[in-house]
Amino acid sequence: MARSTAAKTPSKTTGAAPSLDTKSRPSRRRGKDTFEVILTTAGELLAEVGFERLTTNLVCERAGLTPPALYRYFPNKYALLKELAHRLMEAQDKVVLDWLESGGTTAASLEESVAKNRDLQKQINAITRAFPGGDWILRALRALPVLQEVRTTSRDMVAQRLLEILKADNPAASEDRLRTATRLTTQMMYAATEMVLEEPDQDEDKINEEICWMVGLYYQHLTRQPPAPPGN
Amino acid sequence: MARSTAAKTPSKTTGAAPSLDTKSRPSRRRGKDTFEVILTTAGELLAEVGFERLTTNLVCERAGLTPPALYRYFPNKYALLKELAHRLMEAQDKVVLDWLESGGTTAASLEESVAKNRDLQKQINAITRAFPGGDWILRALRALPVLQEVRTTSRDMVAQRLLEILKADNPAASEDRLRTATRLTTQMMYAATEMVLEEPDQDEDKINEEICWMVGLYYQHLTRQPPAPPGN
DNA sequence: TGTACATCAGTGAACGCGCGTTCACTGATGTAC
DNA sequence: TGTACATCAGTGAACGCGCGTTCACTGATGTAC
């Protein structure tokens, strides 16, 4: 709309990406299979060439399809990445939510709290590593504004659930501060996963250990705040 | 080399990017000016269209140059991004190193330590925001493997300097643990900057405050470790 | 202070490639009766 | 249980665009004498 007035810009590069989501989901079995094959292939290729060199044509070639077949379901490679990213986030979220529901945050000591958190982190890392092209998906989630919503939505959902639990267990703590805290620590845990995935020569266990101490000490402090500091 | 044996792959997509660094730096004044104009323009365009839509042709057009002029200094857009990223990292590092040299880590209380750290973080964020296309450069540093070395080199240099200082001030603390800690917290501070830049509607001050508490509490714990825990 | 010359810096024009996208079409699949 | 038909799923072939890159060339700039 109003295309005639936009003369200076190169005709289509003006705004954001032309389209985003998957077009139509398949209804029959054959179509559903194709849909999955496309995504699987995209994950494979992502791991091989990275998301910059990933093209719809390349996916088609590898998947044994012609472009219009892919184009039927996905308008462009960003839709592919978005779907893959969504699935990775879902897989991660599931583990975190399960951990939360089964009392991941309750611990008798700081040491136990750190240990439980560390196990969760280890699981998250393992899931991400096992996901085809997982490292590249994490990068894409950072780099492509189209995908950022996927990550922040996932993070905020997890952070919200965590907030509810912490609020219930620590009614005296400042809710406002806890809200920032849950979002921040969730983000930091994800950032630690990225760090481990990016630099495989570093010792994952050490990093997991330390990030969990950081987070554990921080929450201990936050939930102890109200009864004013003893000495100092 | 051995190109004839690599038949299956599409002829050039085999390995990593074809080349990386800036080609030749200009020697005369005119050339130096052009070099800078190219980078400035690239930063501008980065802020406008992002790094995926950034092309050498686009930079030339905006800078009033023909492609071979740009090509004289930069083999491709990655070289542009690398140079920009390098400069941003240098600007950040300078602030951190100055802060360290002027006793940023010495504080009489945890509160003071947090406050000093918070001021540093605020500066880093301001610098990044003021840098043309700064947010996109941060994304590119994450997303493009070619650039990762730039970030890790910067981070490890800063972490190393911090480690030396902490070691000197806390000879009893575990050096191994401190080494992981300095790298981790440096990375986390950068991640917090990214978080703030990505989501401008969030309150920067709150996030800075909390990340600094996290880091401050953590270091307090680390440097108090040796004299075994009192109770528990 | 002036001139000659080597080198630096940038131009103009063109190229091949491959990416995203579309068109009219054929074949497969489920469903109604 | 069989057939007709609407719709879904995928093909084959082609297109325009613009990106990265190169070539032979002209003009600018510093330096040696």
Side-chain angles (χ1 to χ4, degrees), chain B residues 163-229:
Chain B
L163 174 62
E164 287 162 11
I165 292 173
L166 291 182
K167 248 170 54 183
D169 290 351
N170 306 279
S174 153
E175 175 170 349
D176 190 49
R177 235 185 137 182
L178 273 184
R179 172 169 290 114
T180 302
T182 50
R183 271 217 307 271
L184 185 62
T185 57
T186 306
Q187 178 95 357
M188 292 302 113
M189 299 293 279
Y190 284 174
T193 293
E194 290 172 306
M195 188 173 172
V196 166
L197 274 269
E198 292 296 355
E199 302 166 75
D201 43 311
Q202 299 208 19
D203 189 343
E204 167 176 357
D205 292 336
K206 278 190 195 169
I207 292 180
N208 287 351
E209 178 82 19
E210 299 307 323
I211 186 71
C212 290
W213 274 103
M214 252 179 89
V215 169
L217 285 159
Y218 173 61
Y219 276 120
Q220 176 186 257
H221 171 78
L222 273 195
T223 54
R224 269 192 195 166
Q225 268 296 68

Coordinates of all heavy atoms in Angstrom, one line a residue, chain B residues 163-229:
Chain B
L163 N 41.7 -11.3 36.3 CA 42.2 -12.5 37.0 C 43.5 -12.1 37.7 O 43.7 -12.4 38.9 CB 42.5 -13.6 36.1 CG 43.2 -14.8 36.7 CD1 42.3 -15.5 37.8 CD2 43.5 -15.9 35.6
E164 N 44.4 -11.4 37.1 CA 45.6 -11.0 37.7 C 45.4 -10.1 38.9 O 46.0 -10.3 40.0 CB 46.5 -10.2 36.7 CG 47.1 -11.1 35.6 CD 47.5 -10.3 34.4 OE1 47.6 -9.0 34.5 OE2 47.8 -10.9 33.3
I165 N 44.5 -9.2 38.8 CA 44.2 -8.3 39.9 C 43.6 -9.1 41.1 O 44.0 -8.9 42.2 CB 43.2 -7.2 39.5 CG1 44.0 -6.3 38.5 CG2 42.7 -6.4 40.6 CD1 43.1 -5.2 37.9
L166 N 42.6 -9.9 40.8 CA 42.0 -10.7 41.8 C 42.9 -11.7 42.5 O 42.9 -11.8 43.7 CB 40.8 -11.5 41.3 CG 39.6 -10.6 40.8 CD1 38.5 -11.5 40.3 CD2 39.1 -9.7 41.9
K167 N 43.8 -12.2 41.7 CA 44.8 -13.1 42.3 C 45.7 -12.4 43.3 O 46.0 -12.9 44.4 CB 45.7 -13.7 41.1 CG 45.5 -15.2 40.9 CD 46.2 -15.6 39.6 CE 47.6 -15.3 39.5 NZ 48.2 -15.7 38.2
A168 N 46.1 -11.2 42.8 CA 47.0 -10.4 43.7 C 46.3 -10.0 45.0 O 46.9 -10.1 46.1 CB 47.5 -9.1 43.0
D169 N 45.0 -9.7 44.9 CA 44.3 -9.3 46.1 C 43.8 -10.5 47.0 O 43.5 -10.3 48.1 CB 43.1 -8.5 45.7 CG 43.5 -7.1 45.2 OD1 44.7 -6.8 45.3 OD2 42.6 -6.4 44.6
N170 N 43.7 -11.6 46.4 CA 43.2 -12.8 47.1 C 44.1 -14.0 46.8 O 43.7 -15.0 46.2 CB 41.8 -13.1 46.6 CG 40.9 -11.9 46.8 OD1 40.4 -11.6 47.9 ND2 40.7 -11.2 45.7
P171 N 45.3 -14.0 47.3 CA 46.3 -15.1 47.0 C 45.8 -16.4 47.5 O 46.3 -17.4 46.9 CB 47.5 -14.6 47.8 CG 47.1 -13.6 48.8 CD 45.9 -13.0 48.3
A172 N 44.9 -16.5 48.4 CA 44.4 -17.8 48.9 C 43.4 -18.4 48.1 O 43.1 -19.6 48.1 CB 43.9 -17.6 50.3
A173 N 42.7 -17.6 47.2 CA 41.6 -18.2 46.4 C 42.1 -19.1 45.4 O 43.2 -19.0 44.9 CB 40.8 -17.1 45.8
S174 N 41.3 -20.1 45.0 CA 41.7 -21.1 44.0 C 41.8 -20.4 42.6 O 40.9 -19.8 42.1 CB 40.6 -22.2 43.9 OG 40.6 -22.7 42.6
E175 N 43.0 -20.5 42.1 CA 43.3 -19.8 40.8 C 42.5 -20.4 39.7 O 41.9 -19.7 38.8 CB 44.8 -19.8 40.5 CG 45.0 -19.3 39.1 CD 46.5 -19.1 38.8 OE1 47.3 -19.2 39.7 OE2 46.8 -18.8 37.6
D176 N 42.4 -21.7 39.7 CA 41.6 -22.4 38.7 C 40.1 -21.9 38.7 O 39.6 -21.6 37.6 CB 41.6 -23.9 39.0 CG 41.1 -24.7 37.8 OD1 41.5 -24.4 36.7 OD2 40.2 -25.6 38.0
R177 N 39.6 -21.8 39.9 CA 38.2 -21.4 39.9 C 38.1 -19.9 39.5 O 37.1 -19.5 38.8 CB 37.7 -21.5 41.4 CG 36.4 -22.4 41.4 CD 35.8 -22.5 42.8 NE 34.4 -22.3 42.7 CZ 33.6 -22.3 43.8 NH1 34.1 -22.4 45.0 NH2 32.3 -22.1 43.6
L178 N 39.0 -19.1 39.9 CA 39.0 -17.7 39.6 C 39.1 -17.5 38.1 O 38.5 -16.6 37.5 CB 40.2 -17.0 40.3 CG 39.9 -16.4 41.7 CD1 41.1 -15.6 42.2 CD2 38.7 -15.5 41.7
R179 N 39.9 -18.4 37.4 CA 40.0 -18.3 36.0 C 38.7 -18.5 35.3 O 38.3 -17.7 34.4 CB 41.1 -19.2 35.5 CG 41.1 -19.3 33.9 CD 42.3 -20.1 33.4 NE 43.6 -19.3 33.6 CZ 44.5 -19.7 34.5 NH1 44.4 -20.9 35.1 NH2 45.6 -19.0 34.6
T180 N 38.0 -19.5 35.7 CA 36.7 -19.8 35.1 C 35.7 -18.6 35.5 O 35.0 -18.1 34.6 CB 36.1 -21.1 35.6 OG1 36.9 -22.2 35.3 CG2 34.7 -21.4 35.0
A181 N 35.8 -18.2 36.7 CA 34.9 -17.1 37.2 C 35.1 -15.8 36.4 O 34.1 -15.2 36.0 CB 35.2 -16.9 38.7
T182 N 36.3 -15.4 36.1 CA 36.5 -14.1 35.4 C 36.0 -14.2 34.0 O 35.4 -13.3 33.5 CB 38.0 -13.7 35.4 OG1 38.8 -14.8 34.9 CG2 38.4 -13.4 36.8
R183 N 36.2 -15.3 33.4 CA 35.7 -15.5 32.0 C 34.2 -15.5 32.0 O 33.5 -14.8 31.2 CB 36.2 -16.7 31.3 CG 37.5 -16.5 30.6 CD 37.6 -17.3 29.3 NE 37.3 -18.7 29.6 CZ 38.2 -19.6 29.9 NH1 39.4 -19.3 30.0 NH2 37.8 -20.9 30.1
L184 N 33.6 -16.2 33.0 CA 32.2 -16.3 33.0 C 31.5 -15.0 33.3 O 30.6 -14.6 32.7 CB 31.8 -17.4 34.1 CG 30.3 -17.7 34.2 CD1 29.8 -18.3 33.0 CD2 30.1 -18.7 35.4
T185 N 32.0 -14.3 34.3 CA 31.3 -13.1 34.7 C 31.5 -12.0 33.6 O 30.6 -11.2 33.4 CB 31.9 -12.5 36.0 OG1 33.3 -12.3 35.9 CG2 31.5 -13.4 37.2
T186 N 32.6 -12.0 33.0 CA 32.8 -11.1 31.9 C 31.8 -11.3 30.8 O 31.1 -10.4 30.3 CB 34.2 -11.2 31.3 OG1 35.2 -11.0 32.3 CG2 34.5 -10.1 30.2
Q187 N 31.6 -12.6 30.5 CA 30.7 -13.0 29.5 C 29.2 -12.6 29.9 O 28.4 -12.1 29.1 CB 30.7 -14.5 29.3 CG 29.7 -15.1 28.3 CD 30.3 -15.2 26.9 OE1 31.4 -14.9 26.6 NE2 29.5 -15.8 26.0
M188 N 29.0 -12.8 31.2 CA 27.6 -12.5 31.7 C 27.3 -11.0 31.7 O 26.2 -10.5 31.3 CB 27.5 -13.0 33.2 CG 27.5 -14.5 33.3 SD 26.2 -15.3 32.4 CE 27.1 -16.2 31.2
M189 N 28.4 -10.2 31.9 CA 28.2 -8.7 31.9 C 27.9 -8.3 30.4 O 27.0 -7.5 30.2 CB 29.4 -8.0 32.4 CG 29.8 -8.3 33.8 SD 28.6 -7.6 35.0 CE 29.1 -5.9 35.1
Y190 N 28.6 -8.9 29.5 CA 28.3 -8.6 28.1 C 26.9 -9.1 27.7 O 26.2 -8.4 27.0 CB 29.3 -9.3 27.2 CG 30.7 -8.7 27.2 CD1 31.8 -9.2 26.5 CD2 30.9 -7.4 27.8 CE1 33.0 -8.6 26.5 CE2 32.2 -6.8 27.8 CZ 33.2 -7.4 27.1 OH 34.4 -6.8 27.1
A191 N 26.5 -10.2 28.2 CA 25.2 -10.8 27.9 C 24.1 -9.8 28.4 O 23.1 -9.7 27.8 CB 25.0 -12.2 28.5
A192 N 24.4 -9.2 29.6 CA 23.5 -8.3 30.2 C 23.3 -7.0 29.3 O 22.2 -6.5 29.1 CB 23.9 -7.9 31.6
T193 N 24.5 -6.6 28.7 CA 24.4 -5.5 27.8 C 23.6 -5.9 26.6 O 22.7 -5.1 26.1 CB 25.8 -5.1 27.3 OG1 26.6 -4.6 28.4 CG2 25.8 -4.1 26.2
E194 N 23.8 -7.0 26.1 CA 23.0 -7.5 24.9 C 21.5 -7.5 25.3 O 20.6 -7.0 24.5 CB 23.4 -8.9 24.5 CG 24.8 -8.9 23.8 CD 25.3 -10.3 23.6 OE1 25.3 -11.1 24.5 OE2 25.6 -10.6 22.5
M195 N 21.2 -8.0 26.4 CA 19.8 -8.0 26.9 C 19.2 -6.6 26.9 O 18.0 -6.4 26.5 CB 19.7 -8.7 28.3 CG 18.4 -9.0 28.8 SD 18.5 -9.9 30.3 CE 16.7 -10.0 30.8
V196 N 19.9 -5.7 27.5 CA 19.4 -4.3 27.6 C 19.2 -3.7 26.2 O 18.2 -3.1 25.9 CB 20.4 -3.5 28.4 CG1 20.0 -2.0 28.3 CG2 20.3 -3.9 29.9
L197 N 20.2 -3.9 25.3 CA 20.1 -3.4 24.0 C 19.0 -4.0 23.2 O 18.4 -3.3 22.3 CB 21.4 -3.6 23.2 CG 22.6 -2.6 23.4 CD1 22.5 -1.6 22.3 CD2 22.7 -2.0 24.7
E198 N 18.8 -5.3 23.3 CA 17.7 -5.9 22.5 C 16.3 -5.6 22.9 O 15.4 -5.6 22.1 CB 17.9 -7.5 22.7 CG 19.1 -8.1 22.1 CD 19.2 -7.9 20.6 OE1 18.2 -7.4 20.0 OE2 20.2 -8.3 20.0
E199 N 16.1 -5.3 24.2 CA 14.8 -5.0 24.7 C 14.8 -3.7 25.4 O 14.8 -3.6 26.6 CB 14.3 -6.1 25.6 CG 14.4 -7.5 24.9 CD 14.3 -8.6 25.9 OE1 13.2 -8.9 26.4 OE2 15.3 -9.3 26.2
P200 N 14.7 -2.6 24.6 CA 14.8 -1.2 25.1 C 13.7 -0.9 26.0 O 13.8 0.1 26.8 CB 14.8 -0.4 23.8 CG 14.9 -1.3 22.7 CD 14.4 -2.6 23.1
D201 N 12.6 -1.6 26.0 CA 11.5 -1.2 26.8 C 11.7 -1.7 28.3 O 10.9 -1.3 29.2 CB 10.1 -1.8 26.3 CG 10.3 -3.2 25.8 OD1 11.3 -3.5 25.0 OD2 9.5 -4.1 26.1
Q202 N 12.7 -2.6 28.4 CA 13.0 -3.0 29.8 C 13.8 -1.9 30.5 O 14.5 -1.1 29.9 CB 13.8 -4.3 29.8 CG 13.0 -5.4 29.2 CD 13.4 -6.7 29.7 OE1 14.0 -6.8 30.8 NE2 13.1 -7.8 29.0
D203 N 13.8 -1.9 31.8 CA 14.4 -0.9 32.6 C 15.9 -1.3 32.7 O 16.3 -2.2 33.4 CB 13.8 -0.8 33.9 CG 14.4 0.5 34.7 OD1 15.4 1.0 34.2 OD2 13.7 0.9 35.6
E204 N 16.7 -0.5 32.0 CA 18.2 -0.8 32.0 C 18.8 -0.7 33.4 O 19.5 -1.6 33.8 CB 18.9 0.2 31.1 CG 20.4 0.2 31.4 CD 21.2 1.1 30.5 OE1 20.7 1.7 29.6 OE2 22.5 1.1 30.7
D205 N 18.3 0.3 34.2 CA 18.9 0.4 35.5 C 18.7 -0.8 36.4 O 19.6 -1.2 37.1 CB 18.4 1.7 36.2 CG 18.8 3.0 35.5 OD1 19.9 2.9 34.8 OD2 18.1 4.0 35.5
K206 N 17.5 -1.3 36.3 CA 17.2 -2.5 37.1 C 18.0 -3.7 36.8 O 18.6 -4.4 37.6 CB 15.7 -2.9 36.9 CG 14.7 -2.1 37.7 CD 13.3 -2.8 37.5 CE 12.2 -1.9 38.0 NZ 10.9 -2.4 37.6
I207 N 18.2 -3.9 35.5 CA 19.0 -5.0 35.0 C 20.4 -4.8 35.4 O 21.1 -5.8 35.9 CB 18.8 -5.2 33.5 CG1 17.4 -5.7 33.2 CG2 19.9 -6.2 33.0 CD1 17.1 -5.9 31.7
N208 N 21.0 -3.6 35.2 CA 22.3 -3.4 35.7 C 22.5 -3.7 37.2 O 23.5 -4.3 37.6 CB 22.7 -1.9 35.4 CG 22.9 -1.7 33.9 OD1 22.9 -2.6 33.1 ND2 23.1 -0.4 33.5
E209 N 21.6 -3.1 37.9 CA 21.6 -3.3 39.4 C 21.7 -4.8 39.7 O 22.6 -5.2 40.5 CB 20.4 -2.7 40.0 CG 20.2 -2.9 41.5 CD 21.0 -1.8 42.2 OE1 21.4 -0.8 41.6 OE2 21.3 -2.0 43.4
E210 N 20.8 -5.6 39.1 CA 20.7 -7.0 39.5 C 21.9 -7.8 39.1 O 22.4 -8.7 39.8 CB 19.4 -7.6 39.0 CG 18.1 -6.9 39.6 CD 18.1 -6.8 41.1 OE1 18.6 -7.8 41.8 OE2 17.6 -5.8 41.6
I211 N 22.3 -7.6 37.8 CA 23.5 -8.4 37.3 C 24.7 -8.1 38.2 O 25.5 -8.9 38.5 CB 23.8 -8.1 35.8 CG1 24.9 -9.0 35.3 CG2 24.2 -6.6 35.6 CD1 24.5 -10.4 35.2
C212 N 24.8 -6.8 38.7 CA 26.0 -6.5 39.5 C 25.9 -7.1 40.9 O 26.9 -7.5 41.5 CB 26.1 -5.0 39.6 SG 26.6 -4.3 38.0
W213 N 24.7 -7.2 41.4 CA 24.5 -8.0 42.6 C 24.9 -9.4 42.4 O 25.6 -10.0 43.3 CB 23.1 -7.9 43.2 CG 22.8 -6.6 44.0 CD1 22.2 -5.5 43.6 CD2 23.3 -6.4 45.3 NE1 22.2 -4.6 44.6 CE2 22.9 -5.1 45.7 CE3 24.0 -7.1 46.2 CZ2 23.1 -4.5 46.9 CZ3 24.3 -6.6 47.5 CH2 23.8 -5.3 47.8
M214 N 24.5 -10.0 41.4 CA 24.8 -11.4 41.1 C 26.3 -11.6 41.1 O 26.8 -12.4 41.8 CB 24.3 -11.8 39.7 CG 23.1 -12.7 39.7 SD 22.5 -13.0 38.0 CE 23.5 -14.4 37.6
V215 N 27.0 -10.7 40.3 CA 28.4 -10.9 40.2 C 29.1 -10.5 41.5 O 30.1 -11.2 41.9 CB 28.9 -10.0 39.0 CG1 30.4 -9.9 39.0 CG2 28.4 -10.5 37.7
G216 N 28.7 -9.5 42.1 CA 29.3 -9.1 43.4 C 29.2 -10.1 44.5 O 30.2 -10.4 45.1
L217 N 28.0 -10.7 44.6 CA 27.8 -11.7 45.6 C 28.7 -12.9 45.3 O 29.3 -13.6 46.2 CB 26.4 -12.1 45.7 CG 25.4 -11.2 46.3 CD1 24.0 -11.4 45.9 CD2 25.5 -11.3 47.9
Y218 N 28.8 -13.2 44.1 CA 29.5 -14.4 43.6 C 31.0 -14.2 44.0 O 31.7 -15.1 44.5 CB 29.3 -14.6 42.1 CG 30.2 -15.6 41.5 CD1 30.1 -17.0 41.9 CD2 31.1 -15.3 40.5 CE1 30.8 -17.9 41.2 CE2 31.8 -16.2 39.8 CZ 31.7 -17.6 40.2 OH 32.4 -18.5 39.6
Y219 N 31.6 -13.0 43.6 CA 33.0 -12.8 43.9 C 33.3 -12.8 45.4 O 34.3 -13.2 45.9 CB 33.5 -11.6 43.2 CG 33.9 -11.8 41.8 CD1 33.3 -11.1 40.8 CD2 34.9 -12.7 41.5 CE1 33.7 -11.4 39.4 CE2 35.3 -13.0 40.2 CZ 34.7 -12.3 39.2 OH 35.0 -12.6 37.9
Q220 N 32.3 -12.2 46.2 CA 32.4 -12.2 47.6 C 32.6 -13.6 48.2 O 33.4 -13.9 49.0 CB 31.2 -11.5 48.2 CG 31.2 -11.5 49.7 CD 29.9 -11.0 50.3 OE1 29.9 -9.8 50.8 NE2 28.9 -11.8 50.2
H221 N 31.8 -14.4 47.6 CA 31.8 -15.8 48.0 C 33.1 -16.5 47.6 O 33.8 -17.1 48.4 CB 30.6 -16.6 47.3 CG 30.7 -18.1 47.5 ND1 30.3 -18.7 48.6 CD2 31.1 -19.0 46.6 CE1 30.4 -20.0 48.5 NE2 30.9 -20.2 47.3
L222 N 33.6 -16.3 46.4 CA 34.8 -16.9 45.9 C 36.0 -16.5 46.7 O 36.9 -17.3 47.1 CB 35.0 -16.5 44.5 CG 34.4 -17.4 43.4 CD1 35.1 -17.1 42.0 CD2 34.6 -18.9 43.7
T223 N 36.1 -15.2 47.0 CA 37.3 -14.7 47.7 C 37.2 -14.9 49.2 O 38.1 -14.6 49.9 CB 37.5 -13.2 47.4 OG1 36.3 -12.5 47.7 CG2 37.8 -13.0 45.9
R224 N 36.1 -15.4 49.7 CA 36.0 -15.7 51.1 C 36.1 -17.2 51.4 O 36.1 -17.7 52.5 CB 34.6 -15.3 51.6 CG 34.6 -13.9 52.2 CD 33.3 -13.7 52.9 NE 33.0 -12.2 53.2 CZ 31.9 -11.8 53.6 NH1 30.9 -12.6 53.7 NH2 31.7 -10.5 53.8
Q225 N 36.0 -18.0 50.3 CA 36.0 -19.5 50.4 C 37.1 -20.0 51.3 O 36.8 -20.8 52.2 CB 36.2 -20.1 49.0 CG 34.8 -20.4 48.3 CD 34.0 -21.4 49.1 OE1 33.5 -21.2 50.2 NE2 33.8 -22.6 48.5
P226 N 38.4 -19.7 51.1 CA 39.5 -20.5 51.8 C 39.2 -20.7 53.3 O 39.2 -21.8 53.7 CB 40.7 -19.6 51.5 CG 40.4 -18.8 50.3 CD 38.9 -18.7 50.2
P227 N 39.0 -19.6 54.0 CA 38.8 -19.8 55.5 C 37.4 -20.5 55.7 O 36.4 -19.8 55.8 CB 38.8 -18.4 56.1 CG 38.5 -17.5 54.9 CD 39.0 -18.2 53.7
A228 N 37.5 -21.8 55.8 CA 36.3 -22.7 55.7 C 35.0 -22.1 56.3 O 35.1 -21.3 57.3 CB 36.6 -24.0 56.4
P229 N 33.9 -22.5 55.7 CA 32.6 -21.9 56.2 C 32.4 -22.0 57.7 O 32.7 -23.0 58.3 CB 31.6 -22.8 55.4 CG 32.3 -23.9 54.9 CD 33.7 -23.5 54.7

